[in-house]
Amino acid sequence: MKNLKLAAGEIGQKTVVRVGNIEIGRQFVVIAGPCGVETEEQTLETARAVKAAGADMLRGGAFKPRTSPYSFQGLGLRGLKILEKAREETGLPIVTEVIDPRDVSWVSEFADILQIGTRNMQNYTLLKEVGRSDRPVLLKRGMYSTLEEWLNCAEYILSEGNPNVILCERGIRTFEKYTRNTLDLSAVPSIKELTHLPIIVDPTHGTGRISLIGPMSLAAVAAGADGMIIEVHNNPKAALSDADQALTPQMFAELMKRVKPLKAFMEKLPE
Ligand code: PEP
Ligand code: MN
């Protein structure tokens, strides 16, 4: 692929993104939490539960890029303060989305990882701005994007001086309607052939169906993903966004009991 001066890297090069003592690209990292931060109680309860089940980081949007302008847009600063409280209590680092270049510098004061969502993957002004931040960036794949377009977006961030980019496969639009998106798991080994950057999988947005999140999480482990990001809500029915795809804390705990042994088994397989 042309022009991937930094994203392609040298043969054998592998980027490890460090957040505290977590090493993304070396260990399998699980990020879990609600789609959106709604209340202190909802976020803290969910954070405690995902921590107890073995999650490494907490996710939660304070800025929600919604299809309709009348849907819940997130709590903004108030949401970030709730996330900060959850981090203080649980020790879990925070992954949260930023949608506006003007917000990057102050949101960075709260976030351990800045998420760029699928709708903003090609927002070049935003990419350049997070490229100048000292926070790692979780770059989700655009729902209509090829691997080449996606990697060029990673290149935008890298070329501004931020080496800590984590890619996230979250499903693409196809003609299939049964699932919310089509989770392209072939992206995982493909990305590993094309770049040194770590890649995680989002089986929540990738399927949009509770029943498929478990199987696709296990498939992501088997495909060689460096981690996964999963939506969990303390009371999914009451969620203000993505209610149909949030796992209960109990479902998440059950899933973690299967993910960890599978990862351990995969590590023992011959090359
Ligand atoms: C999210 O993570 O809640 C989200 C909005 O994801 P995506 O950008 O992949 O739709
Ligand atoms: Mn969501």
Side-chain angles (χ1 to χ4, degrees):
M1 287 178 182
K2 274 196 277 171
N3 290 326
L4 298 178
K5 292 186 185 160
L6 300 166
E10 313 289 327
I11 292 166
Q13 186 184 345
K14 207 167 178 303
T15 286
V16 174
V17 176
R18 290 183 180 78
V19 178
N21 52 14
I22 299 163
E23 296 186 313
I24 306 162
R26 187 157 289 142
Q27 70 198 90
F28 189 81
V29 173
V30 179
I31 304 166
C35 179
V37 176
E38 298 163 4
T39 65
E40 187 169 314
E41 189 193 4
Q42 167 246 9
T43 303
L44 266 73
E45 234 176 68
T46 307
R48 285 181 203 121
V50 299
K51 161 103 180 183
D56 303 292
M57 298 196 192
L58 178 67
R59 62 148 289 144
F63 295 97
K64 297 305 304 173
R66 305 303 301 283
T67 302
S68 163
Y70 307 117
S71 301
F72 175 61
Q73 302 284 311
L75 299 181
L77 175 60
R78 202 148 54 87
L80 293 170
K81 287 187 172 163
I82 292 173
L83 287 169
E84 194 171 46
K85 200 157 185 183
R87 175 175 51 203
E88 255 167 45
E89 191 188 306
T90 61
L92 295 176
I94 302 300
V95 181
T96 197
E97 183 162 356
V98 62
I99 60 177
D100 188 320
R102 293 167 297 187
D103 295 337
V104 170
S105 87
W106 69 269
V107 172
S108 297
E109 290 172 27
F110 295 88
D112 296 286
I113 295 183
L114 295 168
Q115 176 175 321
I116 302 292
T118 191
R119 293 162 185 81
N120 271 315
M121 185 201 80
Q122 284 179 314
N123 181 337
Y124 300 118
T125 316
L126 182 60
L127 296 177
K128 285 193 211 167
E129 200 59 41
V130 296
R132 292 192 280 264
S133 160
D134 62 358
R135 294 288 182 244
V137 178
L138 181 66
L139 179 64
K140 289 192 141 195
R141 180 179 182 178
M143 62 180 94
Y144 303 105
S145 300
T146 64
L147 300 183
E148 187 165 9
E149 286 160 343
W150 187 15
L151 288 175
N152 271 285
C153 292
E155 190 76 24
Y156 263 90
I157 301 170
L158 298 169
S159 66
E160 289 295 325
N162 188 343
N164 295 313
V165 177
I166 306 145
L167 299 164
C168 176
E169 164 60 40
R170 51 78 69 205
I172 48 176
R173 284 259 170 111
T174 67
F175 50 81
E176 184 52 63
K177 291 281 168 279
Y178 183 68
T179 45
R180 182 174 176 185
N181 291 286
T182 297
L183 188 64
D184 177 15
L185 282 181
S186 69
V188 174
S190 304
I191 285 291
K192 296 216 171 265
E193 286 177 359
L194 294 167
T195 164
H196 53 93
L197 298 170
I199 175 167
I200 70 167
V201 169
D202 176 349
T204 303
H205 296 88
T207 64
R209 280 183 180 262
I210 297 284
S211 61
L212 303 183
I213 294 171
M216 295 315 278
S217 298
L218 298 175
V221 175
D226 295 298
M228 60 185 193
I229 181 165
I230 306 252
E231 286 186 352
V232 181
H233 194 289
N234 65 331
N235 181 13
K237 282 193 212 82
L240 298 180
S241 59
D242 287 350
D244 297 339
Q245 60 183 31
L247 298 186
T248 62
Q250 197 182 349
M251 288 171 179
F252 176 68
E254 294 301 319
L255 173 58
M256 288 296 276
K257 283 189 205 149
R258 307 184 76 202
V259 163
K260 286 183 177 169
L262 178 60
K263 181 62 192 164
F265 175 78
M266 293 295 299
E267 275 164 5
K268 287 195 210 103
L269 289 179
E271 285 287 302

